[in-house]
Amino acid sequence: MKIDLKAFDRPELGPYDLCIVGGGVAGLTLAWALRDSGLGICVLESGGERPEPERARLSRGDITGYPYFPLDMARARALGGSSHLWDYEVAPGVCRIRLRPLDPIDFEHREAVPFSGWPFGYETLAPYYRRAQAFFGLEDRPYTAEAWASATERPLLSEGSAVLRTALFQFGDPARFNRDYGPALLADSNVTVCLHAQALELLTNETGEVVEGVRVARPDRTEVTVRALRGAGGRWAGKCPAAPALESGLPERTGQCLRSGGALFHGAPAFSLGAIRAG
């Protein structure tokens, strides 16, 4: 079910069992997986069904570390999130997104890499990668050179080399989120998708142990409160670029988590080292 806060004049929404802050790739994936769970689900998306220039301004920010594209150009505030921007052209007029699992080393703490290290290893996520591949409509094959190599069609450029290593990607259809999953959730009676809903603050009980709701801004800067079903406060999740602004009233450990989540994101380096041609 769709609710656009541009045309919603009530002061409250809910209560819901589960509220997902952010209707991008991660948020829609979670909502899609739980849509038949029997939970009352609400998805808060700060944009509309398609990217809008005035909403993109909410993504502006300073970049530290490696140079990157301006954040309001590299992130889309819309249902489906940055899938609207995936545009790796594999043939004239055919755009795809390059996909591969993280490598085991990506989960490890490395002294030379600030903020590196995950609280779990690659093996924890490995079973979910197969589900993710199906979600993108990809082939269920290992990401090893041997699983894809062909002496006639796909020879290994790195075979016998002490310098080169073959890394594999699959190409997924970027429109799956904004063409398929997003519209399907808008029509799903088990899920409430709130558009133009900018999360401002997580509302907690007096001890800060239970989230009781979310304070949300409409485009005209008036506010709506999204309420949690009593006893369901622990089932509220989010991937929100404005996370540091949500800290008010939360325990220090929760605030630290939000600060990190709001300040860091994973992006591919935007430069080219050259090209290798066979033959």
Side-chain angles (χ1 to χ4, degrees):
M1 179 176 68
K2 177 175 75 171
I3 294 179
D4 194 330
L5 292 196
K6 279 186 174 181
F8 184 81
D9 57 4
R10 287 160 47 194
E12 287 192 358
L13 268 170
Y16 299 100
D17 296 294
L18 172 67
C19 182
I20 302 170
V21 181
V25 173
L28 290 187
T29 301
L30 182 58
W32 186 266
L34 296 175
R35 69 192 188 284
D36 295 326
S37 64
L39 296 174
I41 299 173
C42 177
V43 178
L44 301 178
E45 170 52 49
S46 63
E49 293 184 56
R50 292 289 181 269
E52 304 164 0
E54 63 271 18
R55 304 306 285 174
R57 290 196 290 268
L58 294 170
S59 294
R60 289 178 180 173
D62 296 327
I63 299 173
T64 60
Y66 291 109
Y68 199 70
F69 303 103
L71 297 182
D72 55 336
M73 295 175 58
R75 295 291 182 269
R77 297 256 180 172
L79 193 65
S82 295
S83 67
H84 289 274
L85 305 178
W86 291 342
D87 60 354
Y88 191 92
E89 195 170 49
V90 296
V94 179
C95 292
R96 292 290 182 263
I97 172 68
R98 292 189 302 172
L99 301 165
R100 64 170 281 116
L102 295 173
D103 293 318
I105 194 174
D106 294 322
F107 295 82
E108 299 173 6
H109 173 70
R110 287 165 282 172
E111 292 293 336
V113 182
F115 308 110
S116 61
W118 288 47
F120 50 81
Y122 171 86
E123 65 282 354
T124 302
L125 282 188
Y128 298 96
Y129 277 129
R130 294 187 68 179
R131 293 173 60 182
Q133 288 185 184
F135 201 65
F136 273 96
L138 304 179
E139 287 192 47
D140 184 13
R141 274 205 250 180
Y143 286 76
T144 61
E146 293 72 22
W148 294 84
S150 165
T152 56
E153 297 179 9
R154 291 184 296 271
L156 288 179
L157 297 178
S158 59
E159 190 170 15
S161 172
V163 179
L164 298 178
R165 180 175 68 91
T166 299
L168 300 169
F169 294 84
Q170 291 201 63
F171 291 90
D173 182 359
R176 278 179 168 257
F177 290 91
N178 55 70
R179 180 196 63 208
D180 301 332
Y181 301 130
L185 289 172
L186 289 175
D188 195 317
S189 60
N190 296 326
V191 180
T192 299
V193 180
C194 294
L195 302 176
H196 300 105
Q198 174 62 45
L200 299 176
E201 180 185 3
L202 299 180
L203 305 174
T204 71
N205 63 355
E206 292 182 358
T207 64
E209 298 296 322
V210 177
V211 176
E212 298 181 332
V214 181
R215 189 164 63 91
V216 177
R218 300 183 182 93
D220 64 3
R221 300 192 179 186
T222 59
E223 296 184 7
V224 177
T225 301
V226 180
R227 293 293 180 189
L229 195 65
R230 181 169 296 183
R235 296 178 181 152
W236 288 51
K239 177 182 177 292
C240 179
L246 306 180
E247 293 178 29
S248 177
L250 297 180
E252 178 62 20
R253 63 182 182 277
T254 310
Q256 289 286 356
C257 176
L258 286 173
R259 275 193 288 273
S260 296
L264 304 177
F265 67 90
H266 180 80
F271 57 85
S272 175
L273 295 178
I276 298 176
R277 298 185 183 277

mmCIF file with all atom_site columns, all heavy atoms in Angstrom, residues 63 68-75:
data_model
loop_
_atom_site.group_PDB
_atom_site.id
_atom_site.type_symbol
_atom_site.label_atom_id
_atom_site.label_alt_id
_atom_site.label_comp_id
_atom_site.label_asym_id
_atom_site.label_entity_id
_atom_site.label_seq_id
_atom_site.pdbx_PDB_ins_code
_atom_site.Cartn_x
_atom_site.Cartn_y
_atom_site.Cartn_z
_atom_site.occupancy
_atom_site.B_iso_or_equiv
_atom_site.pdbx_formal_charge
_atom_site.auth_seq_id
_atom_site.auth_comp_id
_atom_site.auth_asym_id
_atom_site.auth_atom_id
_atom_site.pdbx_PDB_model_num
ATOM 1  N N   . ILE A 1 63 ? 33.048 14.856 1.435   1.00 0.00 ? 63 ILE A N   1
ATOM 2  C CA  . ILE A 1 63 ? 33.695 13.570 1.211   1.00 0.00 ? 63 ILE A CA  1
ATOM 3  C C   . ILE A 1 63 ? 35.120 13.651 1.740   1.00 0.00 ? 63 ILE A C   1
ATOM 4  O O   . ILE A 1 63 ? 35.864 14.581 1.430   1.00 0.00 ? 63 ILE A O   1
ATOM 5  C CB  . ILE A 1 63 ? 33.713 13.213 -0.283  1.00 0.00 ? 63 ILE A CB  1
ATOM 6  C CG1 . ILE A 1 63 ? 32.280 13.119 -0.824  1.00 0.00 ? 63 ILE A CG1 1
ATOM 7  C CG2 . ILE A 1 63 ? 34.459 11.901 -0.512  1.00 0.00 ? 63 ILE A CG2 1
ATOM 8  C CD1 . ILE A 1 63 ? 32.216 12.948 -2.321  1.00 0.00 ? 63 ILE A CD1 1
ATOM 9  N N   . TYR A 1 68 ? 35.596 10.988 -4.750  1.00 0.00 ? 68 TYR A N   1
ATOM 10 C CA  . TYR A 1 68 ? 34.409 10.277 -5.204  1.00 0.00 ? 68 TYR A CA  1
ATOM 11 C C   . TYR A 1 68 ? 33.472 11.270 -5.859  1.00 0.00 ? 68 TYR A C   1
ATOM 12 O O   . TYR A 1 68 ? 33.671 12.488 -5.787  1.00 0.00 ? 68 TYR A O   1
ATOM 13 C CB  . TYR A 1 68 ? 33.726 9.578  -4.017  1.00 0.00 ? 68 TYR A CB  1
ATOM 14 C CG  . TYR A 1 68 ? 32.786 8.467  -4.427  1.00 0.00 ? 68 TYR A CG  1
ATOM 15 C CD1 . TYR A 1 68 ? 33.276 7.282  -4.959  1.00 0.00 ? 68 TYR A CD1 1
ATOM 16 C CD2 . TYR A 1 68 ? 31.410 8.602  -4.282  1.00 0.00 ? 68 TYR A CD2 1
ATOM 17 C CE1 . TYR A 1 68 ? 32.435 6.259  -5.346  1.00 0.00 ? 68 TYR A CE1 1
ATOM 18 C CE2 . TYR A 1 68 ? 30.546 7.575  -4.660  1.00 0.00 ? 68 TYR A CE2 1
ATOM 19 C CZ  . TYR A 1 68 ? 31.064 6.412  -5.194  1.00 0.00 ? 68 TYR A CZ  1
ATOM 20 O OH  . TYR A 1 68 ? 30.221 5.414  -5.576  1.00 0.00 ? 68 TYR A OH  1
ATOM 21 N N   . PHE A 1 69 ? 32.443 10.756 -6.513  1.00 0.00 ? 69 PHE A N   1
ATOM 22 C CA  . PHE A 1 69 ? 31.451 11.622 -7.136  1.00 0.00 ? 69 PHE A CA  1
ATOM 23 C C   . PHE A 1 69 ? 30.678 12.390 -6.053  1.00 0.00 ? 69 PHE A C   1
ATOM 24 O O   . PHE A 1 69 ? 30.539 11.908 -4.923  1.00 0.00 ? 69 PHE A O   1
ATOM 25 C CB  . PHE A 1 69 ? 30.475 10.782 -7.963  1.00 0.00 ? 69 PHE A CB  1
ATOM 26 C CG  . PHE A 1 69 ? 31.123 9.933  -9.019  1.00 0.00 ? 69 PHE A CG  1
ATOM 27 C CD1 . PHE A 1 69 ? 31.298 8.568  -8.832  1.00 0.00 ? 69 PHE A CD1 1
ATOM 28 C CD2 . PHE A 1 69 ? 31.582 10.506 -10.199 1.00 0.00 ? 69 PHE A CD2 1
ATOM 29 C CE1 . PHE A 1 69 ? 31.900 7.782  -9.797  1.00 0.00 ? 69 PHE A CE1 1
ATOM 30 C CE2 . PHE A 1 69 ? 32.183 9.723  -11.174 1.00 0.00 ? 69 PHE A CE2 1
ATOM 31 C CZ  . PHE A 1 69 ? 32.345 8.370  -10.973 1.00 0.00 ? 69 PHE A CZ  1
ATOM 32 N N   . PRO A 1 70 ? 30.153 13.572 -6.362  1.00 0.00 ? 70 PRO A N   1
ATOM 33 C CA  . PRO A 1 70 ? 29.301 14.273 -5.385  1.00 0.00 ? 70 PRO A CA  1
ATOM 34 C C   . PRO A 1 70 ? 28.181 13.360 -4.908  1.00 0.00 ? 70 PRO A C   1
ATOM 35 O O   . PRO A 1 70 ? 27.550 12.647 -5.707  1.00 0.00 ? 70 PRO A O   1
ATOM 36 C CB  . PRO A 1 70 ? 28.758 15.457 -6.194  1.00 0.00 ? 70 PRO A CB  1
ATOM 37 C CG  . PRO A 1 70 ? 29.779 15.680 -7.268  1.00 0.00 ? 70 PRO A CG  1
ATOM 38 C CD  . PRO A 1 70 ? 30.311 14.324 -7.618  1.00 0.00 ? 70 PRO A CD  1
ATOM 39 N N   . LEU A 1 71 ? 27.925 13.367 -3.603  1.00 0.00 ? 71 LEU A N   1
ATOM 40 C CA  . LEU A 1 71 ? 26.985 12.399 -3.035  1.00 0.00 ? 71 LEU A CA  1
ATOM 41 C C   . LEU A 1 71 ? 25.568 12.568 -3.559  1.00 0.00 ? 71 LEU A C   1
ATOM 42 O O   . LEU A 1 71 ? 24.816 11.596 -3.664  1.00 0.00 ? 71 LEU A O   1
ATOM 43 C CB  . LEU A 1 71 ? 26.995 12.515 -1.506  1.00 0.00 ? 71 LEU A CB  1
ATOM 44 C CG  . LEU A 1 71 ? 28.328 12.185 -0.831  1.00 0.00 ? 71 LEU A CG  1
ATOM 45 C CD1 . LEU A 1 71 ? 28.190 12.290 0.672   1.00 0.00 ? 71 LEU A CD1 1
ATOM 46 C CD2 . LEU A 1 71 ? 28.814 10.800 -1.233  1.00 0.00 ? 71 LEU A CD2 1
ATOM 47 N N   . ASP A 1 72 ? 25.173 13.796 -3.894  1.00 0.00 ? 72 ASP A N   1
ATOM 48 C CA  . ASP A 1 72 ? 23.814 13.982 -4.404  1.00 0.00 ? 72 ASP A CA  1
ATOM 49 C C   . ASP A 1 72 ? 23.678 13.512 -5.848  1.00 0.00 ? 72 ASP A C   1
ATOM 50 O O   . ASP A 1 72 ? 22.555 13.417 -6.361  1.00 0.00 ? 72 ASP A O   1
ATOM 51 C CB  . ASP A 1 72 ? 23.379 15.441 -4.291  1.00 0.00 ? 72 ASP A CB  1
ATOM 52 C CG  . ASP A 1 72 ? 24.338 16.404 -4.978  1.00 0.00 ? 72 ASP A CG  1
ATOM 53 O OD1 . ASP A 1 72 ? 25.519 16.050 -5.139  1.00 0.00 ? 72 ASP A OD1 1
ATOM 54 O OD2 . ASP A 1 72 ? 23.906 17.506 -5.354  1.00 0.00 ? 72 ASP A OD2 1
ATOM 55 N N   . MET A 1 73 ? 24.811 13.167 -6.487  1.00 0.00 ? 73 MET A N   1
ATOM 56 C CA  . MET A 1 73 ? 24.773 12.585 -7.828  1.00 0.00 ? 73 MET A CA  1
ATOM 57 C C   . MET A 1 73 ? 24.974 11.071 -7.780  1.00 0.00 ? 73 MET A C   1
ATOM 58 O O   . MET A 1 73 ? 24.524 10.350 -8.661  1.00 0.00 ? 73 MET A O   1
ATOM 59 C CB  . MET A 1 73 ? 25.858 13.207 -8.711  1.00 0.00 ? 73 MET A CB  1
ATOM 60 C CG  . MET A 1 73 ? 25.668 14.697 -8.985  1.00 0.00 ? 73 MET A CG  1
ATOM 61 S SD  . MET A 1 73 ? 27.061 15.378 -9.911  1.00 0.00 ? 73 MET A SD  1
ATOM 62 C CE  . MET A 1 73 ? 27.041 14.351 -11.395 1.00 0.00 ? 73 MET A CE  1
ATOM 63 N N   . ALA A 1 74 ? 25.676 10.591 -6.738  1.00 0.00 ? 74 ALA A N   1
ATOM 64 C CA  . ALA A 1 74 ? 26.023 9.175  -6.656  1.00 0.00 ? 74 ALA A CA  1
ATOM 65 C C   . ALA A 1 74 ? 25.006 8.365  -5.871  1.00 0.00 ? 74 ALA A C   1
ATOM 66 O O   . ALA A 1 74 ? 25.088 7.136  -5.838  1.00 0.00 ? 74 ALA A O   1
ATOM 67 C CB  . ALA A 1 74 ? 27.398 9.019  -6.002  1.00 0.00 ? 74 ALA A CB  1
ATOM 68 N N   . ARG A 1 75 ? 24.054 9.014  -5.230  1.00 0.00 ? 75 ARG A N   1
ATOM 69 C CA  . ARG A 1 75 ? 23.000 8.344  -4.475  1.00 0.00 ? 75 ARG A CA  1
ATOM 70 C C   . ARG A 1 75 ? 21.657 8.897  -4.907  1.00 0.00 ? 75 ARG A C   1
ATOM 71 O O   . ARG A 1 75 ? 21.525 10.116 -5.097  1.00 0.00 ? 75 ARG A O   1
ATOM 72 C CB  . ARG A 1 75 ? 23.192 8.542  -2.966  1.00 0.00 ? 75 ARG A CB  1
ATOM 73 C CG  . ARG A 1 75 ? 24.458 7.882  -2.412  1.00 0.00 ? 75 ARG A CG  1
ATOM 74 C CD  . ARG A 1 75 ? 24.330 6.368  -2.453  1.00 0.00 ? 75 ARG A CD  1
ATOM 75 N NE  . ARG A 1 75 ? 25.498 5.684  -1.903  1.00 0.00 ? 75 ARG A NE  1
ATOM 76 C CZ  . ARG A 1 75 ? 26.540 5.298  -2.619  1.00 0.00 ? 75 ARG A CZ  1
ATOM 77 N NH1 . ARG A 1 75 ? 26.603 5.598  -3.912  1.00 0.00 ? 75 ARG A NH1 1
ATOM 78 N NH2 . ARG A 1 75 ? 27.531 4.639  -2.058  1.00 0.00 ? 75 ARG A NH2 1
#
